[in-house]
Amino acid sequence: MDRTHARGRTGAIIAMAVTALAVMTAAFEVVHAELPGFSHRFFVSLAVLCGVCAALGIVYTCTASVLVGRFFAREVAVPGHFPAITLAKPLHGDEWELEEHLASFFEQDYPGSIQYLFGVHDAGDEALRAVERLRVRYPDAHITVVTDSRLYGPNRKIANLVNMLEKAEHDVLCFADSDVVVHQDYLRQVVGALQQPGVGLVTAVYRGLCAPGFWPRVAAALTNYHFLPGVVTGLAIGRARPCFGQSIAMTREMLDRIGGLAQFAHHLAEDHAIGEAVRRTGAKVSIPPILVRHACVENTFTKLFAHELRWSRTVRAADRSGHLGAVLMHPFALALLAVALSGGAMAAWVLAGVALLARAWLVWQTDRATGDKPSGLLCFPFCELVQFAIYVVSFCSSGVVWRGTRFRVDRNGMLSPVHET
């Protein structure tokens, strides 16, 4: 699809969203005129509540805009020595730009030995073709491939890692997803953080790397301007206790102390559970000011919504109160609700404008802090509404779809397959 066509479709989608809001506001005006006094006061009260939440959300957004800059301005620890590393990457299928994403780990400026450990469940997995091409590109690299179909629960990623680690040769272990891209200093920075006193695990925040198309850009925007500032703010106020599966590093000794990985084979948020297990030993989970990039490839609205909904329900399973408080991350959508519920009150429209400006400032500050060029501002209001819709729906069910299988998630974040009747 050419850029002109893409921009035209983006404009059409935004126009549809604006039209829907206008229709909704007009409908509420009609309803307001017909409602008896009590019902009218009820809608006004809801409008005021949404307005208050939007105002608090604006405060949050401005605070996050400042904190995200401070987070990435911190110094990164320098390694005292360079131990040998086993870099474990579970694979599944021929993903978008898989070879290039994996190649970023072969381009590391790291003087220590690196074992590249890849794992699949099926010997016919198409991802292995990319690994074979990497053998040709990097003939001196130490590459090990494990093919093992054993499962220990519904979390196939954990099963893959458990099987792979039987072939791990070194005591420093780094787990990274297949769709992650890193810069050349990644291993230096991770090892430097891991060598700090009291640190038992190092993880990293991530930013979206979008595949071509409109919906991947939307997915990247949701990651870059909701997830990333939210994590940084949560860390700054001491509310967040994250661990991100895109990048995890620990020693073999720490892995043995927490009892290995197989115990997490029934977790939806296995990364969060691993981080909590490390913290229970008294060690710290370090999140240095480094950034990895996670591929956003959902090329339809259905795929995007399903993926983001699974992620949102993962957050909900890991931290229910924090997920509830995340409503303040949506001031623009809340302000628009206030507009609709109030029948188009001028104060609500002003609040919506301020909220949109605050969110735009957050976009600019986040891009500036991470060294990226601002993009996608035209469809930004639409992205805000999509993110809010996903957030609302995440409270409606405890089910998720993961690689084509439907699971139920209990209050402890444990997965159980849903058997269709």
Side-chain angles (χ1 to χ4, degrees):
M1 179 184 297
D2 60 37
R3 292 185 178 181
T4 302
H5 189 188
R7 284 196 296 267
R9 189 171 68 171
T10 300
I13 292 173
I14 295 171
M16 289 172 61
V18 172
T19 302
L21 176 64
V23 171
M24 185 171 62
T25 302
F28 271 106
E29 287 180 347
V30 173
V31 171
H32 273 237
E34 300 296 330
L35 284 174
F38 174 77
S39 298
H40 178 78
R41 288 193 296 273
F42 175 73
F43 275 93
V44 170
S45 298
L46 285 180
V48 171
L49 177 61
C50 289
V52 170
C53 289
L56 293 174
I58 291 170
V59 173
Y60 155 79
T61 301
C62 294
T63 302
S65 300
V66 174
L67 292 176
V68 74
R70 292 181 180 177
F71 178 85
F72 287 106
R74 296 180 299 151
E75 294 292 330
V76 180
V78 178
H81 61 284
F82 298 92
I85 297 175
T86 290
L87 180 61
K89 296 184 76 71
L91 304 178
H92 178 73
D94 186 17
E95 301 171 339
W96 172 69
E97 298 287 354
L98 176 62
E99 182 181 341
E100 295 308 313
H101 296 167
L102 297 179
S104 68
F105 290 84
F106 286 78
E107 300 288 347
Q108 290 298 298
D109 178 18
Y110 187 78
S113 299
I114 305 173
Q115 177 197 16
Y116 297 94
L117 182 59
F118 299 104
V120 293
H121 288 298
D122 182 358
D125 196 306
E126 294 184 357
L128 294 179
R129 298 179 184 176
V131 175
E132 292 308 310
R133 291 193 294 269
L134 290 170
R135 286 188 190 274
V136 176
R137 288 176 62 175
Y138 304 96
D140 296 329
H142 177 21
I143 298 175
T144 305
V145 175
V146 175
T147 302
D148 194 327
S149 61
R150 286 178 295 171
L151 298 175
Y152 310 94
N155 191 318
R156 298 177 67 89
K157 174 183 173 180
I158 285 293
N160 207 346
L161 285 170
V162 171
N163 297 336
M164 293 162 61
L165 288 178
E166 294 180 1
K167 299 294 184 180
E169 298 178 3
H170 304 308
D171 290 331
V172 176
L173 307 172
C174 182
F175 313 135
D177 284 352
S178 57
D179 59 357
V180 165
V181 179
V182 296
H183 53 76
Q184 290 184 325
D185 293 334
Y186 166 75
L187 286 179
R188 281 181 176 266
Q189 295 172 336
V190 166
V191 169
L194 190 60
Q195 291 176 354
Q196 298 307 297
V199 173
L201 181 150
V202 177
T203 189
V205 295
Y206 56 91
R207 185 178 170 96
L209 177 68
C210 61
F214 173 76
W215 293 112
R217 291 203 303 274
V218 174
L222 303 187
T223 298
N224 299 342
Y225 311 126
H226 279 271
F227 158 77
L228 182 56
V231 170
V232 169
T233 303
L235 289 170
I237 65 176
R239 183 63 185 80
R241 294 166 58 90
C243 180
F244 306 114
Q246 283 75 9
S247 172
I248 291 177
M250 65 172 70
T251 63
R252 190 187 299 269
E253 185 271 337
M254 176 55 69
L255 182 60
D256 291 339
R257 282 178 63 185
I258 66 174
L261 294 180
Q263 61 183 308
F264 306 110
H266 288 270
H267 284 77
L268 172 62
E270 81 286 336
D271 44 5
H272 175 80
I274 292 170
E276 288 301 292
V278 169
R279 291 184 179 99
R280 285 195 294 270
T281 69
K284 295 186 293 186
V285 172
S286 173
I287 306 178
I290 65 177
L291 190 71
V292 303
R293 306 203 177 247
H294 159 72
C296 299
V297 298
E298 295 76 24
N299 56 6
T300 67
F301 175 75
T302 301
K303 292 179 180 178
L304 167 69
F305 199 89
H307 180 271
E308 294 296 323
L309 184 59
R310 177 168 66 84
W311 183 84
S312 188
R313 285 175 176 164
T314 301
V315 175
R316 177 186 165 207
D319 182 6
R320 290 180 177 271
S321 61
H323 186 60
L324 181 62
V327 66
L328 299 183
M329 298 172 65
H330 307 277
F332 179 60
L334 291 169
L336 290 184
L337 279 178
V339 169
L341 290 167
S342 66
M346 180 56 66
W349 279 113
V350 170
L351 191 63
V354 174
L356 188 60
L357 288 174
R359 293 294 300 172
W361 186 45
L362 176 60
V363 170
W364 182 77
Q365 287 287 80
T366 302
D367 288 336
R368 181 184 180 190
T370 58
D372 290 272
K373 294 181 179 179
S375 61
L377 286 176
L378 179 62
C379 63
F380 181 64
F382 174 72
C383 295
E384 293 286 292
L385 298 181
V386 170
Q387 181 69 71
F388 183 67
I390 292 168
Y391 174 75
V392 171
V393 174
S394 71
F395 289 95
C396 299
S397 171
S398 60
V400 298
V401 177
W402 195 4
R403 290 184 178 176
T405 303
R406 183 174 296 278
F407 296 95
R408 183 176 292 106
V409 186
D410 67 18
R411 294 188 61 85
N412 297 316
M414 305 294 278
L415 290 168
S416 59
V418 176
H419 302 288
E420 303 290 346
T421 57

